[in-house]
């Protein structure tokens, strides 16, 4: 008699576009922030207030991220493209969201353990992950 375990290949977890949007909007200077997850990239778009001298201007931005590395419960994304201008200070203002995101050297690290949906599972590391339409799906090892 064999035993069937529904979690034999790991515990499935999904992080949705709405979840990432909510985190990026927290304490953010960004407006109209939208997150789109496709099978190849995560794309963030919106507007950011930029101050230059005594003037303030809302600048539209679009950031494209590609997952490149997993370690324990952290997924690293490469900043593939930033439009219209690639400025570190804009990336810092968007992705400086500890404990969820860290930004350094064109790499965004997402600590999935900061999400309640993952934190409730006290053991395991990210075994696999994939981008699908609307979500980042991953499996935690047991």
């Amino acid at each position: 008699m064999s035993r069937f375990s529904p979690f034999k290949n790991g515990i499935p977890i999904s992080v949705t576009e709405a979840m990432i949007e909510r985190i990026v909007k927290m304490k953010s200077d960004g407006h109209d922030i939208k997150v789109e997850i496709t099978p190849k990239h995560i794309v963030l778009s919106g507007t950011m207030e930029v101050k230059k001298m005594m003037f303030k201007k809302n600048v539209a931005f679009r950031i494209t991220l590609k997952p490149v590395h997993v370690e324990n419960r952290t997924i690293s994304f490469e900043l593939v493209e930033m439009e219209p201008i690639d400025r570190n200070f804009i990336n810092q203002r968007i992705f400086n969201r500890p404990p969820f995101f860290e930004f350094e050297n064109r790499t965004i690290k997402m600590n999935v353990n900061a999400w309640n949906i993952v934190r409730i599972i006290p053991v395991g590391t990210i075994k696999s992950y994939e981008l699908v339409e609307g979500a980042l799906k991953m499996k935690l090892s047991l």
Side-chain angles (χ1 to χ4, degrees), residues 28-47:
S28 175
D29 299 334
H31 306 284
D32 308 319
I33 299 205
K34 284 278 169 230
V35 174
E36 178 187 359
I37 300 177
T38 70
K40 292 189 179 200
H41 298 103
I42 295 178
V43 179
L44 285 88
S45 58
T47 57

Side-chain angles (χ1 to χ4, degrees), residues 44 62 88 91 93-94 102-103 107 116 123:
L44 285 88
R62 180 179 166 92
N88 268 340
N91 298 326
R93 286 170 57 185
I94 294 169
E102 275 180 48
F103 174 77
T107 301
N116 289 335
V123 296

Side-chain angles (χ1 to χ4, degrees), residues 91-109:
N91 298 326
Q92 280 285 5
R93 286 170 57 185
I94 294 169
F95 294 111
N96 187 19
R97 300 278 171 265
F100 298 96
F101 297 107
E102 275 180 48
F103 174 77
E104 185 179 325
N105 298 333
R106 298 188 63 79
T107 301
I108 291 95
K109 291 182 179 180

Side-chain angles (χ1 to χ4, degrees), residues 77-141:
F77 295 88
E78 175 189 348
L79 194 139
V80 176
E81 187 176 33
M82 169 112 185
E83 297 172 9
I85 52 173
D86 193 339
R87 295 281 187 239
N88 268 340
F89 77 92
I90 292 176
N91 298 326
Q92 280 285 5
R93 286 170 57 185
I94 294 169
F95 294 111
N96 187 19
R97 300 278 171 265
F100 298 96
F101 297 107
E102 275 180 48
F103 174 77
E104 185 179 325
N105 298 333
R106 298 188 63 79
T107 301
I108 291 95
K109 291 182 179 180
M110 182 170 81
N111 177 0
V112 297
N113 206 46
W115 303 84
N116 289 335
I117 192 170
V118 177
R119 193 178 318 123
I120 60 172
I121 304 163
V123 296
T125 59
I126 299 171
K127 182 177 179 177
S128 65
Y129 68 93
E130 71 174 321
L131 295 176
V132 297
E133 253 350 281
L136 166 64
K137 293 187 176 245
M138 61 191 115
K139 287 197 178 183
L140 293 183
S141 64

Side-chain angles (χ1 to χ4, degrees), residues 1 11 106:
M1 182 168 132
I11 299 170
R106 298 188 63 79

